Amino acid sequence: REDVAHHVVGPPENDGVGGSIQRMGTSLPSPSPLPCEEVRVVSLLPSLTEIVAQLGKGEQLVGITHECDFPPDVVMGKKVVTESFVDPKASQREINDRVVESLAQNNSLYALREGAFRDARPTHVLTQSLCDVCAVNFEQVKSKCSRLLADDPYKLLSVEPQTLRDDA
């Protein structure tokens, strides 16, 4: 569809199991139909949760991050599918040291809670691959989707702004 094509950053990739990966700019196109009746969205970034809600699709959200808190009426009662390895009560210095250490060792600061993620049975997983400090590492998400969602079709959608205008 023409209204989707100009947002797509790259062609869909097959993850080798049953899902597909799509990279796109920040304007979310309508989800492509999958061979299922119900759209079930897991958002792995608070800003994407807010975009889904703003689009009036909050009822399709079945999983959110541990940091999603807005809009309250949309996120209330949703499965929390991520966890952080950073203590939110740590000092600024301790948090910075943890981030620097994690990046130096090529580790993620966050992880998917496998049981909750699998139980959410998403048809669409929204994430980003630009920043490992902002969300679960993209390669980890891709790998876990392939393993945990192997029996069901899904789409992994990575939102990647290319310019400041894309981010606005």
Side-chain angles (χ1 to χ4, degrees):
R1 294 185 300 181
E2 196 172 344
D3 62 327
V4 172
H6 73 280
H7 298 292
V8 173
V9 174
E13 305 168 29
N14 188 319
D15 71 355
V17 177
S20 63
I21 303 164
Q22 185 77 52
R23 299 175 191 269
M24 66 184 122
T26 51
S27 298
L28 294 176
S30 300
S32 301
L34 289 171
C36 64
E37 295 177 20
E38 182 181 17
V39 173
R40 300 175 56 81
V41 178
V42 164
S43 171
L44 299 179
L45 202 63
S47 60
L48 295 176
T49 299
E50 292 180 30
I51 290 170
V52 170
Q54 190 65 34
L55 292 171
K57 302 296 183 181
E59 74 281 353
Q60 293 178 342
L61 276 170
V62 294
I64 57 173
T65 75
H66 63 283
E67 293 189 345
C68 290
D69 61 1
F70 190 83
D73 59 318
V74 171
V75 299
M76 188 180 350
K78 303 294 189 217
K79 284 187 187 300
V80 175
V81 299
T82 65
E83 61 186 332
S84 175
F85 298 125
V86 177
D87 180 359
K89 295 178 182 164
S91 71
Q92 294 272 338
R93 180 177 213 68
E94 291 169 326
I95 291 171
N96 183 68
D97 291 347
R98 179 68 177 110
V99 169
V100 169
E101 175 188 341
S102 179
L103 292 175
Q105 295 177 0
N106 202 27
N107 292 331
S108 183
L109 294 167
Y110 313 102
L112 286 177
R113 296 175 59 221
E114 291 187 12
F117 183 75
R118 184 182 45 251
D119 291 348
R121 299 180 2 260
T123 59
H124 294 76
V125 179
L126 306 179
T127 191
Q128 58 84 43
S129 64
L130 293 177
C131 177
D132 289 343
V133 176
C134 301
V136 180
N137 172 282
F138 182 73
E139 292 303 316
Q140 181 184 34
V141 172
K142 197 163 85 168
S143 171
K144 293 211 177 182
C145 282
S146 292
R147 185 168 53 82
L148 299 171
L149 306 176
D151 295 335
D152 298 305
Y154 67 90
K155 286 194 175 268
L156 175 57
L157 305 165
S158 180
V159 177
E160 301 174 14
Q162 303 295 307
T163 68
L164 286 176
R165 186 177 189 163
D166 287 346
D167 211 27

